[in-house]
Amino acid sequence: MSPLLRIENLSVTFATRAGPIEALRGIDLTVGAGQTLGIVGESGSGKSVTAFATTRLLDRAGRIAGGRILFKGQDVSRLSGKEMQALHGAAISMIFQNPRAALNPIRTVGLQLADALRAHRDLSAAAARARALDLLKAVLIRDPERRLDAYPHELSGGMCQRVMIALAVACEPALLIADEPTTGLDVTTQKTVMDLLARIAAERGMAMILITHDLGLAAKYCGRVVVMERGRLVEEAAPGRLFAHPQHAYTKRLVAASPTPNSTLADLVGETRPAGSGIPAAPHPAPPRGTALLLEVQDLVKRYGNAAAVDGISLRMRPGESLGLVGESGSGKSTTSRLICRLIDPSEGTILFDGQSIGDVPARDFHRSELRRAIQIVFQDPNDSLNPRFSAFDSIAQPLKRLTGLRGAALRARVMESAERSGLGPDLIDRFPHQLSGGQKARIGIARAIAVRPRFLILDEPTAALDVSVQAMILHLLDLLRREDDLAFLFVSHDLNVVRMMCERTIVLQNGRVVEEGASETLFARPQSAYARELLAAIPHFDPGAPLAATA
Amino acid sequence: MRTSLGATTGRAARRLLSSAPALIGVLVFTFLLMRVLPGDPAVFFASGPNAGQAEIEAVRKQMGLDRPIPEQLLRYLGDVGTGQLGRSMTTGQPVMKDLRERLPASLELTFAALLIALTLSIPLGILAALRPGSAVDHGVRLLCSLGVCVPTFVSGLLLIYVFYYLLGFAPDPTGRLDVFAAAPPGITGFLLIDFALTGDWEGWRAAAAQLVLPAVTMALFVIAPLARITRASMLAVLGSDFIRTARSLGLSRTQIVVTYALRNAILPVLTIAGIVFSTMLGANVLVEKVFSWPGVASYALDALLSSDYAPVQGFVLLMAVIFVAVNLVVDLLYGLADPRVSIS
């Protein structure tokens, strides 16, 4: 029996100003009816290009340069626009990253579902609406009757992705391609969305291609996984075998760099730690008791209108300590970090830094405070947090000039020193953000923060936008800097494994309140609150012997 | 639609209220501007060039111009508050009455021009956006450039020359209606509407024929901004994620372009159309002059040339009010077109 999808020697090139770029260099893969294939790899590996080439949704600049894409024996790459339109949705569907942007913002969910249905079936408006309601029920949306008339902006990200799933399966396609379907969603939402997707695919006998950078996700939901690197397939196997005994050097690196419940920072970068590494993640010796507190936050509240984003949070940190702040989106972790670093003003509560009250200095004026130098922040998005018209040097030098008054040679020396300590070579220092990779931009953000020699660094999801191998290096770097400068870290992240490795103590937030607090090791090994347990259980792992949720 | 009628009305009322200070500012500013401009109305409106000093003084006193400026301003504001815009020295009629007679002419012309401009520029913008860099795109760009480059009085005269003088398709380019034709009863002042209401289709056709050339002249001038913004906005929307989703679901091309892309892309076009409308209404004085159109802009120009304060001040106030109203309408349309616009 011929497989549902067979890709033979497919290559894709993109026309750019700098000449053609080969995004895919001859890949072969097959997916049988009802099977689930995972494609993993880092950004630029060509995994999304594979999906878009298969569905013929490549950008204008992209072109299939060679090879065949056989869907049910028919070469998709040679079909006309009309023929392709008949396949889209009815035979091959896609689910995209960033579900909110993937939905038409000014059309109701019900109408969009009806559009998808009526594109391939002869249905009356009323029948389409009834069918849309069934679909919303099938993707387990609460209160589906009301949601039919909702606009995407009225739904949460997880809800939007469920709607997207409903759209994709509306006309019962034989193949569903999910391109990073849960990136940007919380772990618990990720779990419900993925479980739903796996169940729907299984129920309807659909084959699925899951494209992801998260090895745990691929391991949990796929019967077979292929690894891509720079436009080529480097390895293909069942996930258990692939992740337990990776053969290719790249797969080995990728597997090593992915945080797991037991990995240490040293594991991630493939470093063999000197003797005595028996204790995982003991990054810093606890400072002696009785040291004066560096930070003391009491009953912090931040209200927006009637809703409290932060609802009475108290926490304390000693100098040189690292504290993790975890929770789902909307738990108030980012707001808390912004309140503490004085970018926004609290509605209530006190913030003491080094014994001085800083909560009552308006955020607008805090840049003039002596303590601005002491408290620095590294932002989440390395792209949006850099001025595109500033070179790396300018980005690092600007705050230095303001906060320390350094000029001329002294300024240059300090910038170069910070850049070098952050792993940014002197050859990169005059480049602009668009000439740098994500990891290099993240390093600028770090260099900028440590250049003024702060005592307290707030890290707001510093690696969320990075590939795992880059993340591993950045985490390692941050840990090193912390030891060298005796910095205190407030580490905000949704990735619990990362927090466990980076932080001695962890605070779990939910709805703006602290639900659990404790030493990271104990908290992650034996969570006390139901919420923390739920968060931990939702992380997809790739244990070699783990049973598969969806077997193909 | 979530926006309840009450909320929308409330929002409209708030917007109107918040524009009151701006309107008063406009009043004071024009008042002062008119006093600063050279030219003495008293001299102008005295019986003739050889009027004696005594006569001029008498006229000045009669017009209240002998009083201190602040007092004049207060009187003026008081008059405006009671709905009086003064009397035109040129026509001898109250400014309010003049404006009311002439505004429909200008509005009708501007609406017609905007309608023509939109029906041409939106499809052109869409065509250009669907194939960026193609011959169609360049053709549209050329057309737009021409429209902007050629001044309205030149294109107006050119159209008259071709369609009236050479081909004879168009009627006399003088005013809203042929001098011998019977005007409809003044119901709304909009000739097309009034003729339609009375069922006089002969008259309707005549009025429309008079309207076409000036409206096209004005439309040519504003096609460019509208087509360009349509193109830019369509390009942005066509590249967005939800268009890709629509394609991945196999929606038809028409549905993708019209229902998904255009409806999203129309929002910025709406804003520009509002601005264009307000600009056209005031700036079409050249077109009104070329076609002897009895509109408010040419009325204000004549008044300005003869140092007749009241009509100019009245005209500026009218424009300000229309600008506020147009912005309000655009705002409300935005609320209808985009559910994300909050009702705050």
Side-chain angles (χ1 to χ4, degrees):
Chain A
M1 189 189 103
S2 75
L4 182 69
L5 177 75
R6 177 196 291 280
I7 293 179
E8 293 173 351
N9 198 25
L10 179 68
S11 42
V12 169
T13 54
F14 277 84
T16 68
R17 274 191 217 171
I21 286 179
E22 287 188 303
L24 287 185
R25 306 160 193 245
I27 63 160
D28 296 275
L29 53 84
T30 58
V31 183
Q35 282 185 349
T36 308
L37 173 76
I39 303 183
V40 299
E42 297 186 292
S43 43
S45 63
K47 51 190 198 306
S48 289
V49 175
T50 309
F52 288 120
T54 307
T55 47
R56 294 276 302 281
L57 292 171
L58 285 170
D59 290 347
R60 238 173 247 279
R63 192 174 59 83
I64 296 175
R68 298 201 297 169
I69 303 164
L70 298 170
F71 180 79
K72 292 185 175 167
Q74 191 179 24
D75 190 352
V76 172
S77 64
R78 285 175 215 293
L79 291 183
S80 71
K82 264 266 172 287
E83 291 166 320
M84 207 55 231
Q85 190 190 324
L87 280 189
H88 276 151
I92 309 178
S93 271
M94 268 195 88
I95 293 169
F96 304 93
Q97 199 175 342
N98 194 356
R100 205 185 292 278
L103 299 175
N104 188 343
I106 61 167
R107 206 163 166 78
T108 62
V109 163
L111 282 177
Q112 293 190 51
L113 280 164
D115 289 341
L117 287 162
R118 297 172 81 181
H120 299 287
R121 291 175 189 180
D122 197 10
L123 287 176
S124 70
R129 190 176 161 88
R131 185 80 192 91
L133 185 62
D134 292 343
L135 284 165
L136 286 187
K137 284 178 185 157
V139 293
L140 307 179
I141 280 187
R142 252 173 292 151
D143 206 357
E145 285 86 359
R146 222 157 53 85
R147 300 288 180 226
L148 269 183
D149 295 318
Y151 291 95
H153 71 276
E154 295 166 334
L155 304 176
S156 69
M159 286 281 195
C160 283
Q161 196 57 299
R162 286 172 200 227
V163 172
M164 187 64 233
I165 294 174
L167 282 169
V169 302
C171 293
E172 312 266 332
L175 175 63
L176 190 60
I177 302 180
D179 182 14
E180 304 266 12
T182 57
T183 308
L185 301 182
D186 290 319
V187 272
T188 45
T189 317
Q190 162 168 293
K191 186 170 186 302
T192 48
V193 166
M194 281 310 301
D195 285 348
L196 173 74
L197 201 51
R199 210 198 62 216
I200 284 186
E203 276 173 9
R204 308 187 179 204
M206 286 188 286
M208 181 159 77
I209 298 179
L210 174 66
I211 293 169
T212 178
H213 65 281
D214 186 337
L215 301 190
L217 209 60
K220 190 168 175 197
Y221 293 99
C222 300
R224 205 155 42 89
V225 174
V226 297
V227 182
M228 289 189 71
E229 184 203 14
R230 276 182 272 154
R232 290 203 177 84
L233 286 189
V234 295
E235 197 165 345
E236 171 170 0
R241 205 161 57 88
L242 187 76
F243 298 134
H245 310 285
Q247 300 297 312
H248 192 273
Y250 176 73
T251 318
K252 282 181 190 164
R253 270 213 311 281
L254 201 61
V255 169
S258 299
T260 64
N262 316 310
S263 56
T264 63
L265 278 178
D267 293 340
L268 295 195
V269 285
E271 194 179 82
T272 37
R273 179 135 332 168
S277 63
I279 323 138
H284 200 77
R289 288 209 167 272
T291 319
L293 287 175
L294 178 73
L295 178 76
E296 186 171 9
V297 172
Q298 283 290 345
D299 302 318
L300 202 58
V301 176
K302 177 69 185 174
R303 278 188 215 95
Y304 292 104
N306 290 325
V310 170
D311 195 5
I313 285 179
S314 301
L315 56 88
R316 298 158 152 228
M317 286 178 71
R318 290 186 304 273
E321 193 186 14
S322 93
L323 175 68
L325 215 51
V326 300
E328 295 181 283
S329 51
S331 63
K333 54 186 197 306
S334 277
T335 313
T336 307
S337 72
R338 260 143 228 233
L339 285 169
I340 293 175
C341 100
R342 306 300 301 114
L343 290 175
I344 49 177
D345 287 320
S347 309
E348 278 171 36
T350 55
I351 306 170
L352 295 178
F353 185 82
D354 225 4
Q356 294 185 48
S357 173
I358 58 168
D360 41 14
V361 182
R364 219 166 9 132
D365 300 328
F366 193 71
H367 66 97
R368 263 179 268 153
S369 160
E370 274 299 300
L371 290 171
R372 177 74 287 168
R373 269 178 74 178
I375 306 172
Q376 287 288 307
I377 185 166
V378 176
F379 293 97
Q380 174 172 7
D381 192 317
N383 301 308
D384 286 353
S385 57
L386 293 177
N387 185 334
R389 300 268 168 271
F390 272 17
S391 68
F393 183 90
D394 296 333
S395 286
I396 303 171
Q398 195 70 22
L400 256 181
K401 278 198 252 180
R402 270 203 58 94
L403 294 176
T404 64
L406 284 178
R407 292 289 183 277
L411 175 72
R412 184 157 187 92
R414 180 75 78 84
V415 171
M416 297 312 277
E417 182 209 321
S418 310
E420 199 195 322
R421 292 185 65 204
S422 310
L424 199 67
D427 50 322
L428 301 176
I429 200 75
D430 290 320
R431 292 208 192 165
F432 289 91
H434 69 272
Q435 298 167 315
L436 296 167
S437 71
Q440 286 162 344
K441 279 183 269 195
R443 286 175 199 274
I444 298 179
I446 294 169
R448 173 169 64 181
I450 62 164
V452 295
R453 311 246 162 94
R455 281 181 286 157
F456 180 39
L457 204 54
I458 294 170
L459 299 140
D460 185 7
E461 307 252 13
T463 57
L466 303 175
D467 282 325
V468 278
S469 60
V470 183
Q471 163 174 288
M473 286 187 283
I474 296 289
L475 292 179
H476 195 248
L477 167 74
L478 285 171
D479 192 54
L480 199 73
L481 290 171
R482 189 184 143 221
R483 286 155 196 281
E484 286 176 2
D485 291 4
D486 202 29
L487 275 168
F489 272 6
L490 181 67
F491 197 103
V492 179
S493 181
H494 68 276
D495 191 329
L496 302 174
N497 284 328
V498 168
V499 169
R500 184 186 53 74
M501 286 186 289
M502 294 295 292
C503 305
E504 294 136 9
R505 222 148 46 83
T506 301
I507 288 181
V508 182
L509 295 184
Q510 186 188 21
N511 299 331
R513 293 168 188 273
V514 176
V515 290
E516 192 165 348
E517 177 175 2
S520 300
E521 269 184 71
T522 1
L523 193 149
F524 284 87
R526 290 178 296 282
Q528 299 300 310
S529 61
Y531 179 66
R533 269 198 297 277
E534 190 190 332
L535 272 185
L536 283 166
I539 311 175
H541 302 313
F542 54 95
D543 298 335
L548 298 176
T551 330
Chain B
M1 199 62 34
R2 289 285 173 90
T3 342
S4 71
L5 198 65
T8 314
T9 338
R11 183 163 156 229
R14 262 196 305 281
R15 276 294 298 266
L16 279 181
L17 214 63
S18 65
S19 55
L23 286 180
I24 292 174
V26 165
L27 274 178
V28 174
F29 181 75
T30 3
F31 177 86
L32 293 178
L33 193 70
M34 289 308 291
R35 297 309 184 269
V36 169
L37 286 179
D40 188 344
V43 175
F44 203 91
F45 289 107
S47 56
N50 43 5
Q53 193 62 36
E55 192 188 340
I56 291 176
E57 282 306 322
V59 171
R60 179 165 293 146
K61 201 168 182 85
Q62 183 209 331
M63 294 170 77
L65 294 175
D66 56 334
R67 298 171 198 262
I69 296 271
E71 195 191 325
Q72 290 186 40
L73 176 62
L74 281 182
R75 274 163 177 267
Y76 173 60
L77 289 181
D79 283 351
V80 171
T82 56
Q84 284 165 357
L85 295 178
R87 187 175 282 272
S88 163
M89 304 300 284
T90 340
T91 63
Q93 298 208 66
V95 171
M96 200 65 155
K97 184 161 179 287
D98 278 345
L99 288 178
R100 201 179 296 147
E101 272 169 13
R102 287 160 167 268
L103 183 63
S106 284
L107 280 179
E108 188 167 43
L109 176 60
T110 310
F111 272 125
L114 189 67
L115 196 70
I116 294 170
L118 283 176
T119 46
L120 285 176
S121 59
I122 289 179
L124 284 178
I126 294 173
L127 279 179
L130 287 179
R131 307 219 179 288
S134 69
V136 179
D137 189 15
H138 289 297
V140 171
R141 189 169 305 161
L142 180 74
L143 203 74
C144 291
S145 310
L146 278 179
V148 169
C149 293
V150 181
T152 43
F153 54 89
V154 175
S155 52
L157 289 176
L158 217 74
L159 288 176
I160 291 173
Y161 179 69
V162 173
F163 290 98
Y164 170 64
Y165 181 75
L166 287 185
L167 301 175
F169 289 167
D172 262 8
T174 48
R176 304 174 75 188
L177 213 50
D178 195 84
V179 272
F180 303 111
I187 305 170
T188 61
F190 291 83
L191 290 188
L192 293 184
I193 296 178
D194 289 349
F195 275 125
L197 285 178
T198 50
D200 180 359
W201 297 109
E202 193 94 354
W204 193 90
R205 206 167 305 126
Q210 292 283 2
L211 186 61
V212 167
L213 281 195
V216 167
T217 309
M218 272 169 75
L220 281 179
F221 199 62
V222 296
I223 278 179
L226 292 172
R228 298 307 288 170
I229 195 82
T230 307
R231 176 185 181 271
S233 173
M234 274 300 277
L235 269 182
V237 172
L238 283 171
S240 61
D241 284 3
F242 63 86
I243 294 296
R244 193 180 54 191
T245 306
R247 284 170 61 205
S248 84
L249 293 171
L251 266 53
S252 73
R253 192 159 169 75
T254 338
Q255 194 167 20
I256 290 176
V257 171
V258 178
T259 319
Y260 278 63
L262 183 61
R263 278 221 32 217
N264 275 282
I266 209 74
L267 294 171
V269 179
L270 213 59
T271 311
I272 297 293
I275 295 172
V276 160
F277 178 82
S278 316
T279 320
M280 272 157 91
L281 198 58
N284 61 13
V285 54
L286 290 173
V287 178
E288 289 186 4
K289 282 282 171 205
V290 169
F291 290 92
S292 317
W293 201 263
V296 279
S298 59
Y299 170 70
L301 182 67
D302 290 341
L304 183 67
L305 291 177
S306 50
S307 294
D308 194 358
Y309 289 170
V312 179
Q313 287 168 354
F315 171 74
V316 173
L317 179 63
L318 176 70
M319 285 299 123
V321 169
I322 287 177
F323 196 74
V324 167
V326 166
N327 273 330
L328 184 70
V329 169
V330 167
D331 212 45
L332 294 179
L333 285 178
Y334 236 92
L336 289 180
D338 188 345
R340 287 166 298 179
V341 174
S342 68
I343 322 160
S344 61

